Amino acid sequence: MRLVKKLCTWKLVPFAWTALTIFLLCLPGSAIPSAGVLSTEGIDKVVHAILFGGIVLLWAFNLYFRRDQKSKWQQIIVLLTLFSVGLGIGLEFLQRDYIPNRSFDGIDIIADSAGAVIAAVYHLFIRVK
């Protein structure tokens, strides 16, 4: 846990994860390999859950180790979760309208939301006591 604390107190780690998520979802469809592990059915949904759960998880760790008021912790987690879900929805529409060879997939939004909610539950009920 010390390593996580040290890495997440720097804003660079959660910021880089968020930027990586946006970058990966803005890649043209032709740039995404369709062989190997990525050809496994449903693996893209797992990747979506990990990416958007990672946003909530890492930003929450960053804020947890810097927080001043414990009373606002639940609000912070809810806002991070809403941000992550909103980002996922926005990126799906961006893919549909502007990214070549990419399309809108409502199931991706569900996977994004599931990852964000799982990370929020971790911070609200498991990690923070």
Side-chain angles (χ1 to χ4, degrees):
M1 189 54 73
R2 273 189 242 173
L3 177 62
V4 171
K5 182 176 181 178
K6 186 170 183 151
L7 288 175
C8 288
T9 54
W10 305 333
K11 285 189 179 174
L12 177 65
V13 172
F15 180 78
W17 185 269
T18 305
L20 176 68
T21 299
I22 294 168
F23 173 76
L24 290 174
L25 293 176
C26 289
L27 286 173
S30 58
I32 301 169
S34 59
V37 173
L38 293 177
S39 66
T40 306
E41 187 176 335
I43 195 71
D44 64 319
K45 307 312 179 222
V46 173
V47 170
H48 275 263
I50 290 169
L51 290 173
F52 287 89
I55 290 172
V56 173
L57 194 69
L58 294 174
W59 278 110
F61 270 125
N62 178 271
L63 295 169
Y64 177 79
F65 294 127
R66 296 171 167 252
R67 69 186 174 151
D68 296 327
Q69 296 179 344
K70 292 182 179 182
S71 64
K72 295 190 178 190
W73 183 241
Q74 290 177 340
Q75 292 171 340
I76 289 169
I77 296 299
V78 169
L79 289 174
L80 284 171
T81 304
L82 290 174
F83 168 77
S84 185
V85 170
L87 180 63
I89 292 169
L91 287 171
E92 283 301 314
F93 281 101
L94 185 72
Q95 287 177 353
R96 181 190 76 187
D97 296 335
Y98 298 106
I99 310 295
N101 301 320
R102 298 293 291 262
S103 61
F104 182 92
D105 186 355
I107 305 299
D108 284 348
I109 292 173
I110 293 170
D112 301 342
S113 301
V117 168
I118 289 168
V121 166
Y122 171 78
H123 274 290
L124 288 173
F125 300 109
I126 298 171
R127 171 72 183 116
V128 179
K129 295 190 178 192

